[in-house]
């Protein structure tokens, strides 16, 4: 079995992790969390969302967060952008990377963005035109690629169709989302085998939520297929306010621990990551990440493992 030598971790904790928390964190707390994540060596950290703050109040401080964080030279700090207004907000703070989002199922996309898939892609036309003029790097999320909370099963062909629409608009990377954590390794094979027939792995990420405990197994299967970009959140927080049943992303510590065991490079310090998650836990209460919990306990017990 062969694996990629190196993996890129896209830390989505400050955005996906916080967007559905019952507690809305102030900008200064999100800034401290992001700074600790940068110190842990993460080179891709999604730091906020320029969406309607009435719909997602947890992200209302995104301008202040973006302005307030320390920016490491080699690190990308993408922000979520739903439309032209979101892009203008991103440009006003000097963002260099943006993430657009649509879905592979109509009902979820309607509830999430108040638009059909076709409407959201036509919104993106003007967004990508301006973003290209401004030389921004663009990620495109596709949600519900393995199952929809409203429609159930989603066909891999639909994921390919939406992927191609986004690639036609010139997005640099696609993030293939298991929004409600229903995928198993078989779903990963079905979707990525099809995508990889025409899209290089350098343009594909897996965005796994760990709702049913399959996220790490899914990442392992994706690694075996050559996927080497993974979205995770420190401590395993996360979820989408418009996807009933969605819980946290795969915890960054869980992925890092597995990659260390496999000897795959990722550039992240596990101890520094735990320090970032511990700060978040001090603000939100207990975090779900498994490796995080074990490492914290190990430290409390005197650190023998
Ligand atoms: P809309 O179609 O205009 O409809 O917005 P609306 O009724 O939701 O909003 C209208 C109001 O929003 C107007 O203000 C607009 O000015 C304002 P009002 O007249 O009521 O005062 N507005 C904005 N304000 C600030 N920034 C903006 C903006 N745009 C409109 N950019 C929109 C469509 C998509 C913006 C809206 O529905 C929205 O914000 N939805 C929230 C979507 C969201 O944040 N979802 C969670 C993130 S996606 C996710 O979690 C999945 C992912 O993790 C991958 C996965 O797991 O699958 C990425
Ligand atoms: Mg998500």
């Amino acid at each position: 079995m062969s694996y990629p030598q190196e993996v890129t971790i896209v830390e989505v904790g400050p955005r996906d992790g916080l967007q559905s928390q019952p507690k809305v964190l102030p900008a200064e707390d999100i800034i401290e969390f992001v700074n600790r994540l940068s110190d842990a060596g993460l080179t891709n950290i999604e730091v906020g969302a320029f969406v309607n703050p009435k719909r997602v109040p947890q992200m209302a401080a995104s301008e202040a967060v973006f302005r307030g964080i320390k920016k490491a030279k080699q690190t990308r700090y993408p922000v979520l952008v739903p439309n032209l207004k979101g892009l203008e907000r991103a440009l006003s703070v000097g963002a260099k990377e943006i993430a657009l989002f649509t879905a592979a199922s109509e009902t979820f996309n309607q509830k999430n963005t108040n638009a059909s898939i076709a409407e959201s892609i036509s919104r993106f036309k003007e967004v990508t035109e301006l973003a290209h003029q401004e030389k921004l790097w663009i990620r495109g999320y596709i949600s519900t690629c393995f199952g929809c909370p409203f429609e159930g099963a989603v066909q891999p062909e639909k994921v390919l169709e939406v992927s191609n629409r986004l690639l036609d608009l010139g997005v640099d990377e696609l993030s293939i989302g298991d929004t409600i954590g229903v995928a198993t390794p078989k779903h990963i094979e079905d979707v990525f085998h099809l995508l990889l027939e025409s899209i290089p792995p350098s343009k594909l990420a897996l965005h796994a939520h760990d709702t049913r405990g399959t996220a790490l197994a899914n990442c392992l299967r994706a690694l075996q297929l050559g996927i080497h970009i993974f979205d995770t959140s420190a401590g395993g927080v996360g979820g989408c306010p418009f996807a009933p049943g969605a819980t946290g992303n795969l915890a960054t510590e869980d992925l890092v621990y597995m990659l260390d065991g496999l000897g795959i490079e990722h550039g992240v310090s596990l101890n520094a990551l735990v320090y970032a998650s511990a700060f978040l836990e001090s603000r939100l209460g207990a975090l779900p990440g498994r490796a995080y919990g074990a490492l914290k306990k190990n430290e409390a017990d005197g650190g023998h493992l």
Side-chain angles (χ1 to χ4, degrees):
M1 197 67 79
S2 81
Y3 296 104
Q5 286 184 340
E6 209 176 309
V7 151
T8 299
I9 297 177
V10 179
E11 169 63 47
V12 295
R15 193 276 305 168
D16 203 330
L18 300 182
Q19 71 185 7
S20 53
Q21 292 298 322
K23 186 168 176 193
V24 178
L25 295 190
E28 70 214 54
D29 284 353
I30 306 176
I31 290 168
E32 176 66 23
F33 178 43
V34 172
N35 288 346
R36 290 188 188 206
L37 294 169
S38 291
D39 290 345
L42 286 151
T43 52
N44 287 268
I45 308 174
E46 198 167 80
V47 293
F50 293 119
V51 297
N52 179 357
K54 287 188 197 138
R55 294 199 72 195
V56 191
Q58 294 86 342
M59 293 290 105
S62 290
E63 271 99 346
V65 169
F66 194 90
R67 285 202 179 95
I69 54 175
K70 283 188 301 188
K71 295 183 187 73
K73 240 198 184 130
Q74 74 285 3
T75 301
R76 285 181 176 151
Y77 296 96
V79 289
L80 218 59
V81 160
N83 53 16
L84 202 53
K85 185 165 181 168
L87 177 58
E88 282 158 4
R89 290 175 62 198
L91 289 172
S92 77
V93 293
K96 300 275 186 285
E97 295 93 12
I98 59 167
L100 311 175
F101 54 104
T102 183
S105 64
E106 289 292 351
T107 315
F108 173 75
N109 203 52
Q110 195 69 46
K111 295 201 189 265
N112 195 33
T113 66
N114 209 14
S116 66
I117 298 170
E119 282 162 351
S120 68
I121 287 170
S122 79
R123 281 178 188 169
F124 295 160
K125 200 168 178 316
E126 53 185 6
V127 176
T128 50
E129 275 169 13
L130 179 55
H132 283 132
Q133 272 172 39
E134 298 288 335
K135 303 203 175 348
L136 302 188
W137 182 87
I138 310 173
R139 165 174 252 233
Y141 278 106
I142 307 175
S143 289
T144 59
C145 292
F146 307 93
C148 169
F150 308 103
E151 295 176 18
V154 170
Q155 293 311 308
E157 290 71 20
K158 186 67 192 176
V159 181
L160 178 63
E161 183 197 320
V162 179
S163 297
N164 284 333
R165 301 290 302 277
L166 291 176
L167 290 172
D168 289 346
L169 289 173
V171 307
D172 296 287
E173 180 176 293
L174 295 168
S175 176
I176 304 301
D178 184 16
T179 315
I180 52 167
V182 286
T184 65
K186 175 75 169 77
H187 292 94
I188 299 295
E189 284 169 21
D190 291 347
V191 169
F192 281 104
H193 270 149
L194 184 64
L195 297 182
L196 286 165
E197 281 175 16
S198 55
I199 305 170
S202 57
K203 282 188 183 280
L204 290 170
L206 173 61
H207 179 98
H209 284 260
D210 202 18
T211 313
R212 289 164 183 78
T214 52
L216 203 53
N218 291 338
C219 287
L220 185 66
R221 191 67 194 106
L223 269 172
Q224 291 163 349
L225 297 174
I227 299 302
H228 53 82
I229 308 170
F230 295 95
D231 301 357
T232 58
S233 82
V237 285
C240 175
F242 311 105
T247 56
N249 294 87
L250 174 61
T252 313
E253 291 89 345
D254 292 5
L255 181 65
V256 165
Y257 184 81
M258 183 180 80
L259 295 174
D260 282 345
L262 290 168
I264 299 174
E265 294 289 324
H266 50 72
V268 179
S269 153
L270 194 50
N271 283 342
L273 191 54
V274 167
Y275 181 66
S277 295
F279 174 77
L280 196 62
E281 191 168 61
S282 74
R283 295 299 186 266
L284 297 179
L287 304 182
R290 307 279 282 274
Y292 169 69
L295 288 159
K296 231 184 29 172
K297 182 167 185 316
N298 183 46
E299 196 178 326
D301 291 347
H304 299 298
L305 286 175

